[in-house]
Amino acid sequence: MADNEDGTTGQDQGVDRSEGSDRGFRSQGCCCYFPKRYLITLLTGFGMLLVYSMRTNVGIAAITILDLQAHTKVGTERAKWGLPTVEWTTRMIGFLHSVFYIGFFLSHIPAGYLTTVWPCHRIYGGSILLSASLNLLIPISIEELGYITTCAVRFLQGITEGFLYPSCYGLLRHWSTTTERGRLLSGVLSGSYMGAIIGFPLAGFITHYISWQYVFYASGGSCILWYMLWMFIVYEKPGHHPCINEDELNFITKAQGSECIEYENLQVPWKQILTSLPVIALCVCHFTRFWVFILMLTNEPYYLNMFGFSIAENGLYSSIPHIVKVLFAFTSGYIADFFLSSTRCTTTIVRKCLTCGGFGVQALCFYVLTLIYDGTTVLIVLSLGIGFFGLTVSGWQINHYDLSVRYAGLLVSITSAFGCLGAVAAPLVAGEFLHGKDLLGWDYVFYTTSGLLVFTTIFYLIFGSGEEQPWANPPAGVKLVQKVDPLVRAPYKIYKQQKPNNNLDKVYAHHRPSLDLDDGPDKARDETIIGKSADNETQHRIQPPEDQNNRVVQRMVQKIESFDKS
């Protein structure tokens, strides 16, 4: 039988085959089994897609607010009469984008801690549910409640979505293995890039033909429906899932080894983490990533609007660079896994090649954008620049797991919190550069972005690392208490500590109670079992206490032992 990596077939993956070679599929009572780790990855990525699709809503709505000719660029009378009536400037729109990421920044460190205390799947789902609920309020806030209230709603949205990445990494820590982590994580993170692919065309179409308010209702409602499905299907750990195949569970457990064992008294090495140069390099990468990504997510439609496209065309064309980015992101996962498993390239070399290659090409493309003014050419160069950014997904973005699997969620909360400063700064800087200017203002934006990308490329090339750090595991010589998880599916092993004493009757003969135990077939009901081994063969009976007040229990143990011998 052919072997594979999913744990469902094969003899060389440490799986118990005592019940038959096809036990993996038949143990769940079905002939077709879809690995649960892939299902969890799919739903996690789909959640990312919906969230980032929702983030495009304000960017499209900003066109209808800032463009004085917006009524000539929509396709129906209903859409024309439904356009916003507020008069906001580019600076106000820039702050509206930034205030979201101020909240996003403030919640990251608490989110990193809470992922070590609360179930990550509930945090992940809850953050999307709350953000979607707030998204439904934005149209009313813009038209009826005013600018300050709209900023407050966006701020609260940012706080709720600050839990997204720490909980995502914390969840995938349990559901991914070292050999598959590149592909699974790149698939999930590609969902965030695919959000723009869906969000921009959908928002442009709805705004063009229906009305801009329904963009927010459609996105928020989709996230709420996703949450209902999420809570029915997803569990925090493989051992908690009631429908996981035993072969898959064994495969994940063996492949992960001790990296996912949790301890009661483990202290987080804060000082070593915060002063680690590889971690600082990831902070710089995260800053640049947020700068570029948020700049494009919030201002790309406004930039393409300079070339005379309609709102529907604008939404469609804005998605093209992100389609290219998703393709590069998916490819990067396979490239990384191939070189790590099939060549002598170290993890550090693979991460640096993908990261520096992606950032370097992107820096060049943003500089070229300052030299061209044709809409079609701009779209091609912009697509290449944003597309190559996808290579970095399996570069620095997965690098958190290389430094420490145990603290991956915490590392993401730290680096992402620093990166949020870029998300806050990018819209503000863009709003200032673009105030009262057209394409000349965009030249200043792209010069700044290109320089930032060059700096990040050099910094990561020098200080980045793909090796596990000294602080990644518990220090030697420290006794740790492993957490007991009552929800885990596999039973705990408890072994005999002492053989029963056959001379108990001689010791306690004169204290023997008058209770006469029944020797019938129900004798097993008197047996006190502490636990079972995984194969249900070894049973450990309670040791007879030495206190004379427990004579009844001692008599029970003696009768059980004599029954076993017979």
Side-chain angles (χ1 to χ4, degrees):
M1 180 179 293
D3 297 333
N4 57 40
E5 291 183 316
D6 64 11
T8 55
T9 61
Q11 297 290 336
D12 59 344
Q13 303 191 7
V15 178
D16 183 9
R17 294 292 176 179
S18 58
E19 295 183 17
S21 60
D22 56 354
R23 168 188 170 192
F25 286 90
R26 296 181 181 177
S27 62
Q28 299 302 322
C30 64
C31 60
C32 182
Y33 176 76
F34 187 74
K36 293 299 179 288
R37 65 188 184 281
Y38 297 152
L39 179 61
I40 301 301
T41 301
L42 182 65
L43 286 176
T44 306
F46 192 60
M48 283 282 187
L49 184 152
L50 292 176
V51 167
Y52 276 84
S53 175
M54 187 167 59
R55 289 192 192 180
T56 65
N57 295 170
V58 175
I60 293 294
I63 298 177
T64 64
I65 295 174
L66 296 175
D67 191 353
L68 299 179
Q69 302 298 320
H71 62 280
T72 65
K73 298 180 180 180
V74 292
T76 64
E77 289 295 321
R78 178 183 180 182
K80 182 185 299 184
W81 288 104
L83 290 174
T85 57
V86 297
E87 296 180 0
W88 295 351
T89 65
T90 57
R91 288 174 178 170
M92 296 173 70
I93 294 295
F95 182 76
L96 183 63
H97 290 312
S98 294
V99 75
F100 173 92
Y101 292 99
I102 294 175
F104 195 72
F105 165 76
L106 293 176
S107 61
H108 256 72
I109 300 300
Y113 170 74
L114 290 177
T115 55
T116 66
V117 179
W118 293 348
C120 290
H121 72 299
R122 295 187 182 277
I123 298 175
Y124 186 80
S127 67
I128 295 178
L129 175 66
L130 292 176
S131 181
S133 301
L134 291 168
N135 201 65
L136 301 177
L137 301 177
I138 292 180
I140 300 176
S141 299
I142 292 176
E143 286 285 21
E144 305 294 338
L145 303 179
Y147 180 73
I148 301 299
T149 304
T150 306
C151 289
V153 173
R154 290 288 289 166
F155 176 75
L156 293 176
Q157 265 193 303
I159 289 179
T160 60
E161 290 191 27
F163 290 82
L164 199 67
Y165 277 98
S167 59
C168 172
Y169 276 73
L171 179 66
L172 293 181
R173 169 195 169 192
H174 297 290
W175 282 98
S176 64
T177 63
T178 304
T179 57
E180 297 179 322
R181 192 161 285 147
R183 283 166 286 175
L184 297 184
L185 188 62
S186 65
V188 170
L189 296 180
S190 295
S192 63
Y193 303 141
M194 291 177 65
I197 298 174
I198 304 297
F200 280 133
L202 181 63
F205 179 85
I206 294 175
T207 302
H208 188 81
Y209 291 104
I210 305 176
S211 186
W212 67 276
Q213 298 96 328
Y214 292 93
V215 174
F216 294 87
Y217 301 147
S219 297
S222 299
C223 289
I224 293 174
L225 292 176
W226 169 90
Y227 174 79
M228 296 178 182
L229 182 65
W230 174 265
M231 293 309 297
F232 274 109
I233 294 179
V234 177
Y235 292 80
E236 183 187 18
K237 301 176 183 178
H240 294 179
H241 205 297
C243 300
I244 190 172
N245 181 282
E246 289 186 19
D247 287 351
E248 185 183 9
L249 178 60
N250 291 338
F251 167 72
I252 295 174
T253 304
K254 181 180 178 181
Q256 290 177 342
S258 62
E259 65 184 21
C260 285
I261 296 178
E262 298 178 344
Y263 299 99
E264 296 280 358
N265 57 335
L266 182 62
Q267 299 295 322
V268 178
W270 288 102
K271 182 179 179 181
Q272 293 91 328
I273 291 176
L274 295 176
T275 57
S276 172
L277 284 175
V279 174
I280 295 174
L282 292 182
C283 289
V284 174
C285 289
H286 227 138
F287 180 93
T288 304
R289 182 255 181 183
F290 267 120
W291 175 287
V292 176
F293 187 59
I294 300 308
L295 177 67
M296 291 293 98
L297 194 68
T298 57
N299 289 282
E300 183 185 354
Y302 184 57
Y303 173 58
L304 294 181
N305 191 58
M306 299 290 178
F307 301 98
F309 301 122
S310 69
I311 293 181
E313 292 174 333
N314 197 320
L316 177 62
Y317 295 156
S318 294
S319 68
I320 294 177
H322 300 277
I323 294 175
V324 181
K325 179 168 59 177
V326 169
L327 296 177
F328 275 87
F330 272 118
T331 305
S332 72
Y334 288 95
I335 292 174
D337 288 343
F338 171 78
F339 281 105
L340 288 174
S341 60
S342 304
T343 69
R344 295 182 180 179
C345 291
T346 64
T347 304
T348 301
I349 293 176
V350 173
R351 302 298 183 223
K352 287 186 176 182
C353 287
L354 291 173
T355 300
C356 297
F359 281 151
V361 174
Q362 194 171 35
L364 177 62
C365 289
F366 276 114
Y367 176 75
V368 172
L369 286 175
T370 64
L371 306 176
I372 55 179
Y373 299 97
D374 175 67
T376 303
T377 308
V378 163
L379 188 59
I380 294 173
V381 175
L382 187 65
S383 298
L384 288 175
I386 295 180
F388 268 90
F389 184 77
L391 287 180
T392 66
V393 170
S394 293
W396 71 269
Q397 285 191 262
I398 200 175
N399 197 196
H400 301 81
Y401 286 112
D402 301 327
L403 303 184
S404 174
V405 174
R406 183 177 304 280
Y407 297 118
L410 182 62
L411 293 179
V412 170
S413 68
I414 294 172
T415 63
S416 187
F418 185 83
C420 287
L421 299 177
V424 173
L428 292 177
V429 172
E432 190 63 32
F433 281 148
L434 299 175
H435 186 68
K437 302 181 182 67
D438 292 327
L439 288 176
L440 180 61
W442 279 105
D443 288 346
Y444 296 147
V445 172
F446 292 147
Y447 286 141
T448 305
T449 303
S450 182
L452 181 60
L453 286 163
V454 170
F455 171 78
T456 304
T457 301
I458 297 173
F459 194 91
Y460 187 82
L461 184 63
I462 297 173
F463 298 110
S465 174
E467 305 303 321
E468 186 177 67
Q469 298 302 293
W471 42 263
N473 293 307
V478 178
K479 293 184 178 180
L480 299 173
V481 179
Q482 182 177 347
K483 287 184 179 180
V484 176
D485 190 347
L487 299 178
V488 73
R489 174 176 165 181
Y492 298 100
K493 291 186 178 181
I494 298 181
Y495 301 95
K496 289 186 178 182
Q497 301 296 323
Q498 178 180 333
K499 293 182 179 180
N501 191 343
N502 294 327
N503 297 321
L504 284 177
D505 280 343
K506 297 179 181 180
V507 177
Y508 297 111
H510 58 288
H511 296 294
R512 183 171 299 167
S514 58
L515 177 64
D516 187 15
L517 296 179
D518 208 3
D519 288 338
D522 292 332
K523 181 184 296 186
R525 71 187 177 188
D526 296 322
E527 187 175 9
T528 304
I529 299 175
I530 292 180
K532 297 180 179 181
S533 66
D535 57 4
N536 294 323
E537 291 178 356
T538 305
Q539 295 179 346
H540 171 53
R541 299 170 184 84
I542 191 167
Q543 297 182 24
E546 297 182 0
D547 192 319
Q548 294 184 7
N549 293 328
N550 295 319
R551 296 188 299 272
V552 175
V553 176
Q554 297 162 8
R555 177 58 177 160
M556 290 167 60
V557 172
Q558 183 198 18
K559 299 291 286 183
I560 293 169
E561 291 297 330
S562 62
F563 175 76
D564 286 346
K565 290 182 179 181
S566 63

